[in-house]
Amino acid sequence: VVQHLQQHVEGIRMRPFDLVEQVSLVGPALHGFFEHPAHVFDGIARGGHGQAIIRVHGIKIYSTNLNEGRVFMIIHPENIVISKNSILTSARNSFKGKICEISKIPRREGIIKVVADVGIPLAVFITKQAFEELNLGINDKIYVYFKANEVYVF
């Protein structure tokens, strides 16, 4: 993917994954960003009404970035909310799915990584306390939410 981007993206002063490379050079990612390749997706974006709809493997993801055509995007796991119930929220991105993975994050004692399958795998970082209060487990049906302005497109 990196080689493809370097060959096909023009007019950008830095390479699209320079930030990822810089984070990995200092050792483990300090905030858990980019530790898992599931955070980077590619899709086709179409704009309209002040937002873009990005189609990724059959699902629609809303973004405030108005790039069109083939795009790559990052959704940080800290910006995703998980719930056992459907809730009305201002977040444009709302998906029903199920939990397919639960793990601890090295060097982050109070954070649990939950991977939700919503048509694409979305990693969600939540506090251990929230994890216990929600009583989450593998194959639980859940909902995930994130705002359109939390979808980073390039």
Side-chain angles (χ1 to χ4, degrees), residues 13-39:
R13 296 189 192 277
M14 64 183 275
R15 296 177 316 191
F17 284 91
D18 276 351
L19 180 59
V20 178
E21 292 170 358
Q22 288 172 9
V23 169
S24 65
L25 288 176
V26 296
L30 298 176
H31 300 289
F33 291 160
F34 310 114
E35 279 188 35
H36 310 282
H39 295 129

Side-chain angles (χ1 to χ4, degrees), residues 45-54 63-69 71 151 153:
R46 301 283 181 257
H49 306 292
Q51 64 184 359
I53 297 173
I54 305 165
S63 174
T64 54
N65 184 303
L66 299 180
N67 289 354
E68 292 198 12
V71 298
V151 178
V153 178

Side-chain angles (χ1 to χ4, degrees), residues 6 13 58 72 75 94-95 101 111 133 138 148:
Q6 290 171 341
R13 296 189 192 277
F72 292 86
I75 306 164
S94 170
F95 302 102
E101 179 185 328
I111 303 295
E133 288 174 2
I138 297 291

Side-chain angles (χ1 to χ4, degrees), residues 118-131:
V118 299
I120 58 173
L122 289 178
V124 182
F125 289 177
I126 63 173
T127 64
K128 185 176 179 183
Q129 180 181 359
F131 177 80

Side-chain angles (χ1 to χ4, degrees), residues 1-126:
V1 172
V2 174
Q3 290 174 342
H4 173 79
L5 285 173
Q6 290 171 341
Q7 292 171 357
H8 294 92
V9 177
E10 297 178 20
I12 297 178
R13 296 189 192 277
M14 64 183 275
R15 296 177 316 191
F17 284 91
D18 276 351
L19 180 59
V20 178
E21 292 170 358
Q22 288 172 9
V23 169
S24 65
L25 288 176
V26 296
L30 298 176
H31 300 289
F33 291 160
F34 310 114
E35 279 188 35
H36 310 282
H39 295 129
V40 179
F41 301 100
D42 68 312
I44 304 297
R46 301 283 181 257
H49 306 292
Q51 64 184 359
I53 297 173
I54 305 165
R55 293 192 181 273
V56 178
H57 300 290
I59 69 168
K60 294 180 190 176
I61 296 179
Y62 293 89
S63 174
T64 54
N65 184 303
L66 299 180
N67 289 354
E68 292 198 12
R70 184 161 187 226
V71 298
F72 292 86
M73 65 181 182
I74 296 172
I75 306 164
H76 294 297
E78 288 91 343
N79 297 338
I80 302 174
V81 174
I82 192 168
S83 173
K84 280 201 158 182
N85 301 306
S86 177
I87 57 175
L88 183 60
T89 174
S90 64
R92 296 297 83 200
N93 295 291
S94 170
F95 302 102
K96 183 177 182 178
K98 71 176 187 174
I99 296 174
C100 58
E101 179 185 328
I102 298 170
S103 60
K104 294 182 179 180
I105 300 174
R107 296 168 302 285
R108 295 194 68 191
E109 292 292 320
I111 303 295
I112 303 291
K113 175 186 159 195
V114 177
V115 178
D117 181 356
V118 299
I120 58 173
L122 289 178
V124 182
F125 289 177
I126 63 173

